[in-house]
Each structure stands twice: as structure tokens, then as C-alpha cells.
Amino acid sequence: MRKLENKELQRKSVTDFKEAEKTSIIIILDDIRSLHNIGSVFRTADAFLIEKIYLCGITAVPPNKEIHKTALGATETVVWEYQKEVTDVIEMLKIENYSVFAIEQVENAIFLQDFTIDKTKKYALVFGNEVYGVSQKAIEICEGSIEIPQLGTKHSLNISVSAGIVVWDLFQKMNY
């Protein structure tokens, strides 16, 4: 076994990425404080050809050198938009026939492994603040909530880790 060189990875150019068919997932980041978390989510979105990221509330926007440290150029490939109110974004996406789910621990949440994909639907995922999670006002207008099962003492994951886990799970359910 040997490590692959960059030229062997068949990476898309920025133009190829922009022209590629996207995965029917939108990520909504609401009140994310950490610039590194934001950049990491951009990297995940790039890796799985995510359709778009909405940055809401206090979430910082590119260009920003701290976001760039972890995004490593993904802010140039992934389509993004800032909207102040997360609820406005959720309502708009519901009108556009997206199934919107909070990624949060709530009553009657669906555990990630039990969440089934309808391949004819488009999905939007709401990730919330590092301390307070997804706001109650956002949860109330989502179709449901998806929870990542956790067995340790903390019962919380870093938002960029959560995004990576959930996006990968939905991506593979949509494509394999």
C-alpha cells in the first residue's frame, strides 16, 4: 500500500465543481461562533458536492482568513448566502419543497441510523450554535429532527463533526 499523490486524486477544478451535478442537500448554519467550524463545514460541503450553505445570524461570512484556514478554498467552490433570520431561510426552503430537519436532540428525534431517505426529495439540514444548539423557533418549523446517537458522558459533538457525520450518512444513503 502507498499513499496517493495529489495528481492521482482526480480532484475537480473550480469550474468542474461549479458545473457538476450537486447533491440535493442544503446546509443551514445558525449562530455559529467558531470561524474554524464554519470553514470545516465548507470543506465537508465541497467534499460531497453540497448544493448550498446558508449562513445565518451571527455566523461569519467569507472572505475571512480564519474561515479560510480550515476551508482551504472551499468558500470559492461551494455556493453560499447570508440571511439574518434562520426562520426565513427555513420557510423559504419549505416553499421550494425541501424537507428541512434540525440536527438536534429533541423529543421524538429520529436517530440518524433510522433516518430513511426519499431519493426524490431535497433536504436541508439546520446546525445550531456550539453552546445552545438549534433554536427552539427553528425547531418548531422544521419537518423533524435528526439526532446522532451518543453513548459517552458529553452527549454533544462539535458542530463541524456533526455536519461531517450527518452529511456523509445522507450522502451515502442517497447515492449507494
Side-chain angles (χ1 to χ4, degrees):
M1 173 171 23
R2 78 175 169 79
K3 185 176 173 179
L4 294 175
E5 295 181 23
N6 281 344
K7 64 185 177 188
E8 296 176 275
L9 296 177
Q10 300 176 2
R11 291 187 175 150
K12 290 180 177 5
S13 68
V14 172
T15 302
D16 291 341
F17 182 95
K18 290 187 180 288
E19 292 173 356
E21 184 176 344
K22 302 298 183 282
T23 304
S24 297
I25 297 174
I26 287 180
I27 296 173
I28 304 167
L29 300 181
D30 188 36
D31 285 340
I32 305 302
R33 298 177 310 165
S34 166
L35 302 172
H36 295 279
N37 280 337
I38 298 164
S40 291
V41 172
F42 267 94
R43 287 260 300 276
T44 296
D46 178 275
F48 298 108
L49 290 170
I50 297 305
E51 189 176 322
K52 187 172 189 174
I53 298 176
Y54 281 95
L55 307 168
C56 303
I58 66 166
T59 307
V61 300
N64 181 299
K65 96 176 174 180
E66 293 302 313
I67 292 173
H68 181 73
K69 280 183 183 179
T70 49
L72 295 177
T75 57
E76 304 303 315
T77 55
V78 178
V79 174
W80 63 270
E81 181 179 330
Y82 177 81
Q83 290 289 328
K84 182 169 177 46
E85 294 297 328
V86 68
T87 52
D88 292 345
V89 173
I90 294 168
E91 294 291 3
M92 176 195 65
L93 291 173
K94 286 167 60 177
I95 290 168
E96 295 177 9
N97 295 315
Y98 282 83
S99 293
V100 184
F101 286 85
I103 308 305
E104 189 57 87
Q105 298 164 326
V106 301
E107 294 173 330
N108 301 313
I110 303 166
F111 282 122
L112 182 59
Q113 71 271 18
D114 299 327
F115 185 76
T116 56
I117 290 290
D118 178 342
K119 292 183 179 188
T120 66
K121 287 188 174 184
K122 303 179 290 186
Y123 292 89
L125 308 171
V126 183
F127 295 90
N129 180 272
E130 291 89 342
V131 174
Y132 303 108
V134 177
S135 68
Q136 185 61 42
K137 65 182 181 178
I139 289 168
E140 289 171 359
I141 60 173
C142 285
E143 184 172 323
S145 183
I146 300 169
E147 180 177 343
I148 302 168
Q150 298 167 56
L151 306 175
T153 61
K154 299 302 174 206
H155 288 281
S156 69
L157 293 167
N158 181 289
I159 184 267
S160 63
V161 172
S162 294
I165 291 168
V166 174
V167 169
W168 161 247
D169 186 79
L170 269 62
F171 177 83
Q172 63 90 22
K173 287 174 180 173
M174 289 175 160
N175 292 289
Y176 301 107

